[in-house]
Amino acid sequence: SQDKVAIHEAMEQQTISIAKAGIHATLNARASILAAANPVLGRYDKTKSLKFNVDISAPIMSRFDLFFVMVDECDEHHDYNIAKHIANLHRLKENAISPEFSTTQMQRYIKFARTLKPKFTKEAAKLLAEEYKNLRQNDMSFEKTAYRI
């Protein structure tokens, strides 16, 4: 509750009020705000609105420009692989991670890549716009990837 009051002040009045050791100050808040929230019931309910799932008041929600919902889907095979990887990181230490490329190889590749100066042609822009349009149309035919607020 106190967090909600503080974030509301920062977003609405662009100030932060501080009261520490008998000193009261109001500071300008000139920054972008990135916030994260967990679902109130432990799991995100796709049938309910974002507001219901994170229990943030409408005045605070209206201050944000973008919302990204990240859903942790339960998948037994995927979950097992993650747990096995984490356990191996702790058990095997350095031997658990074997990168495909050495640090020297990556540095050499990045140095080479910086020498390239690609040109963004009209044809490339047209192709990119067409592929983006196709991608968006394909999104509409599959399961919902955005959730209503």
Side-chain angles (χ1 to χ4, degrees):
S1 175
Q2 208 172 17
D3 291 339
K4 289 179 184 178
V5 171
I7 198 168
H8 193 263
E9 176 189 2
M11 296 175 86
E12 185 178 72
Q13 297 160 3
Q14 283 82 43
T15 61
I16 300 288
S17 296
I18 299 173
K20 294 281 183 195
I23 299 172
H24 299 281
T26 301
L27 307 172
N28 287 331
R30 294 187 189 129
S32 298
I33 296 176
L34 175 67
N38 287 319
V40 290
L41 301 176
R43 286 236 171 248
Y44 194 90
D45 185 349
K46 293 179 185 178
T47 64
K48 303 277 194 293
S49 69
L50 176 64
K51 183 181 180 317
F52 174 85
N53 275 286
V54 294
D55 191 30
I56 296 176
S57 67
I60 292 176
M61 285 187 76
S62 71
R63 303 281 178 207
F64 286 96
D65 296 319
L66 298 170
F67 292 91
F68 295 98
V69 176
M70 297 190 321
V71 181
D72 181 18
E73 301 286 354
C74 293
D75 176 344
E76 186 177 339
H77 178 71
H78 186 70
D79 293 345
Y80 174 78
N81 286 336
I82 290 172
K84 185 173 140 186
H85 175 73
I86 292 170
N88 284 337
L89 281 176
H90 292 283
R91 193 170 64 85
L92 304 173
K93 306 280 184 212
E94 288 83 26
N95 296 335
I97 301 174
S98 52
E100 196 168 328
F101 301 104
S102 71
T103 303
T104 305
Q105 289 173 313
M106 288 301 297
Q107 288 172 337
R108 204 174 314 143
Y109 175 77
I110 291 168
K111 186 176 180 181
F112 168 74
R114 286 182 176 157
T115 66
L116 303 176
K117 305 291 181 212
K119 300 270 189 277
F120 193 54
T121 63
K122 287 182 182 178
E123 294 80 18
K126 184 177 177 183
L127 179 64
L128 182 64
E130 188 63 33
E131 290 302 317
Y132 178 74
K133 184 183 89 173
N134 293 338
L135 183 68
R136 295 292 291 167
Q137 287 174 340
N138 289 340
D139 276 352
M140 293 173 61
S141 62
F142 294 105
E143 73 177 51
K144 195 163 132 180
T145 57
Y147 304 100
R148 63 186 172 86
I149 295 173

